[in-house]
Amino acid sequence: MAQKFLTGQAVILAAGDSSRFWPLNKKHKSLIKIMGRPLIWYVVDGIIKAGINEIIIVQKKEMMIEQELNRYEFPKCKISYVIQTEAKGMGNALFQAKDFIKDNFLVLNADMVECAGVFSQLIKKMETSKAKAVLAGQKTSLPELFGIARLEGDKITEIIEKPKREEAPSDIKMSGAYLLSKDFFDVYEKVEKGMYDFETALSLYMKNNDVRVAVLEEKEEEIPFLKYSWHLFSIKKYLFDKLLESKIEKSAKVSKNVIIEGKVYIGENTKIFEGAVIKGPCYIGDNCVIGNNSIVRDYTNLENNCLVGALSEVARSIFQEGATCHSGYFGDSVIGKDTKIGAGTITANVRLDRGEIKSVVKGEKIGTGLDSLGVIIGENTKIGINCSLMPGVLIGSNCNIGPNSVVFKNIEDNTNFYTEFKGVKRET
């Protein structure tokens, strides 16, 4: 049935600057790894499972997406790459793929790890409505974060970008998946260009064509999205619940008195020393070290070459490749690639009043919707011993945080930071 409307093509948009994803935006956010694979791998896999055999990926000129995906094989699908030389918005990114498009095609963001089910709902709506285009929608309680649909029944007449909550025309957000006709490009070429010209072109297209919304059956929390760095936790939970399998690779060395409970994966050549406790669901990659009497628990994801030193506790956290910590507590935190954390450092992950934790992104204080959130740290940062990192603090890449520092506010990339103590002179 699907082939009546589709040529089997999908476009993945993976060229943005991911500025709201700081401090983890040294590369495109879809290259963050969960369970040993970048997020965009799960997107490609979902597209293939939906029966689509041709993918066009729009990437930045550094071609990091292409370099990463070339490490994997996708025998049932042809993947082509095009480049968006400057970050000029979604419309401009999509336009780079115009010459590859044959007929109707699907468009999605590079972080939509659940796409196979979404696509089937889009296709079903097009088949039943005979609409010219179908957009995926989903009920939301946070209209200020999304493009919101103005509706007449299931027909979309306009998209309002990030309206104030009290001014939202509906509670249906655009979910980042679109089933479009090739003639959409004719309309796009006519609109004034800007960061939101995709939404402008869609609104103009709606005036002359039948465009419907497929309101997804899943609840908002069941299809995770990725705008800010802390949204990684919901994506991690989704992938763990759906895909994590218990396995200890043969080359892993697990001491006799280690306790392993629940669903846990332990990778090749990983060493887990005496007294450690692993309480799943957890993923521990290749060549990791878990020190004596440490606890790793509850949806923790450790990528390859990570070290959790003796007497540490890591809970519900994400460590990227090469991240290390020594004794201390790390809860609800994301530690970037090759970041090193000294012994005795503690991440506070709950406010004293147990209220919602807010973080500052691009100068704006944002409610995270979380009452438990630790620190999020970029790549290649070094943190000294006995540091205290407050809830919701964001620390950039290539920073040096001196010993005994207390971090209450964000620290920008490439910063040397230390706390002054009375009577103690420090040399920078």
Side-chain angles (χ1 to χ4, degrees):
M1 288 291 288
Q3 294 305 312
K4 179 179 178 181
F5 292 97
L6 296 175
T7 62
Q9 290 184 297
V11 179
I12 300 176
L13 303 178
D17 283 336
S18 306
S19 60
R20 289 175 295 190
F21 201 64
W22 183 84
L24 301 173
N25 63 341
K26 283 296 181 182
K27 52 190 176 184
H28 193 269
K29 60 185 178 181
S30 68
L31 292 175
I32 291 290
K33 289 187 175 180
I34 300 292
M35 294 194 298
R37 300 183 188 275
L39 296 181
I40 195 169
W41 183 94
Y42 297 101
V43 179
V44 172
D45 186 61
I47 291 172
I48 294 170
K49 287 177 178 176
I52 295 169
N53 55 26
E54 185 176 351
I55 299 174
I56 302 103
I57 298 178
V58 185
Q59 62 178 338
K60 297 175 70 173
K61 59 185 178 181
E62 292 81 4
M63 299 189 293
M64 290 184 182
I65 302 290
E66 184 174 356
Q67 292 166 14
E68 178 64 29
L69 288 181
N70 280 342
R71 299 174 57 218
Y72 307 95
E73 294 183 0
F74 302 100
K76 296 181 180 179
C77 187
K78 175 186 177 183
I79 300 179
S80 303
Y81 296 90
V82 295
I83 292 174
Q84 184 186 30
T85 56
E86 296 181 55
K88 294 182 178 180
M90 180 176 173
N92 179 268
L94 179 58
F95 192 74
Q96 308 310 310
K98 175 177 178 289
D99 292 341
F100 288 81
I101 301 302
K102 302 167 187 173
D103 198 349
N104 292 5
F105 62 101
L106 288 153
V107 182
L108 72 161
N109 295 324
D111 50 62
M112 183 171 277
V113 295
E114 201 319 277
C115 59
V118 171
F119 287 173
S120 66
Q121 293 175 68
L122 289 175
I123 293 165
K124 182 178 179 181
K125 172 64 81 170
M126 179 170 274
E127 290 173 342
T128 56
S129 68
K130 304 297 189 284
K132 198 69 181 292
V134 180
L135 316 183
Q138 200 172 21
K139 288 190 175 183
T140 183
S141 59
L142 300 169
E144 63 273 18
L145 295 182
F146 305 98
I148 302 297
R150 190 183 302 278
L151 298 170
E152 294 178 2
D154 67 348
K155 186 175 182 179
I156 305 180
T157 60
E158 189 179 8
I159 297 173
I160 309 299
E161 187 65 28
K162 298 181 180 64
K164 294 180 179 179
R165 191 170 301 191
E166 63 275 11
E167 297 176 359
S170 73
D171 63 349
I172 302 300
K173 70 176 182 179
M174 295 295 95
S175 293
Y178 312 83
L179 177 48
L180 302 176
S181 300
K182 187 175 182 177
D183 63 354
F184 170 78
F185 291 110
D186 298 331
V187 176
Y188 176 77
E189 290 183 277
K190 297 176 183 177
V191 302
E192 183 178 352
K193 299 302 180 284
M195 289 303 293
Y196 297 115
D197 55 18
F198 177 77
E199 290 79 5
T200 303
L202 269 180
S203 293
L204 181 59
Y205 192 79
M206 292 167 191
K207 292 181 179 180
N208 300 308
N209 296 280
D210 185 1
V211 178
R212 304 294 178 98
V213 62
V215 180
L216 303 179
E217 298 169 359
E218 295 81 0
K219 296 178 181 178
E220 185 172 17
E221 62 271 16
E222 292 175 339
I223 298 182
F225 58 91
L226 192 60
K227 285 185 178 289
Y228 298 106
S229 54
W230 54 85
H231 292 151
L232 279 171
F233 297 113
S234 60
I235 286 186
K236 173 195 64 176
K237 185 178 186 304
Y238 173 85
L239 292 173
F240 271 37
D241 288 346
K242 186 176 181 180
L243 299 174
L244 182 63
E245 296 182 356
S246 291
K247 184 178 182 181
I248 300 176
E249 296 291 350
K250 291 182 179 179
S251 60
K253 296 181 179 180
V254 181
S255 297
K256 290 183 179 180
N257 64 341
V258 169
I259 296 173
I260 300 176
E261 297 178 355
K263 194 178 290 186
V264 173
Y265 174 85
I266 299 174
E268 295 180 358
N269 301 309
T270 282
K271 298 177 181 178
I272 302 182
F273 286 91
E274 292 81 1
V277 177
I278 315 295
K279 292 190 174 184
C282 288
Y283 175 92
I284 302 172
D286 299 341
N287 305 305
C288 293
V289 175
I290 310 298
N292 298 81
N293 302 308
S294 288
I295 300 175
V296 177
R297 62 181 176 91
D298 301 336
Y299 287 95
T300 285
N301 182 96
L302 306 179
E303 291 298 320
N304 295 345
N305 304 305
C306 287
L307 165 69
V308 175
L311 303 172
S312 296
E313 181 177 359
V314 181
R316 300 175 300 278
S317 293
I318 301 170
F319 283 39
Q320 292 296 283
E321 294 167 301
T324 69
C325 67
H326 295 274
S327 60
Y329 175 73
F330 307 90
D332 304 284
S333 296
V334 184
I335 313 300
K337 182 178 179 181
D338 294 327
T339 281
K340 314 297 182 187
I341 303 177
T345 290
I346 300 291
T347 64
N349 60 336
V350 178
R351 286 167 49 121
L352 287 176
D353 62 4
R354 299 306 192 260
E356 180 188 14
I357 295 170
K358 297 182 178 181
S359 288
V360 177
V361 179
K362 299 177 71 172
E364 180 182 0
K365 185 173 285 189
I366 305 290
T368 65
L370 303 173
D371 56 15
S372 183
L373 174 63
V375 67
I376 299 176
I377 308 174
E379 298 183 0
N380 196 39
T381 280
K382 297 177 177 62
I383 297 179
I385 61 170
N386 298 322
C387 291
S388 298
L389 313 175
M390 295 302 107
V393 162
L394 310 178
I395 298 175
S397 295
N398 304 309
C399 295
N400 294 303
I401 312 300
N404 294 308
S405 291
V406 181
V407 182
F408 283 96
K409 297 182 179 180
N410 290 357
I411 297 176
E412 297 299 320
D413 294 342
N414 308 306
T415 298
N416 294 322
F417 176 92
Y418 58 88
T419 300
E420 288 282 5
F421 290 89
K422 188 174 182 179
V424 177
K425 183 178 180 180
R426 297 221 182 170
E427 299 293 338
T428 58

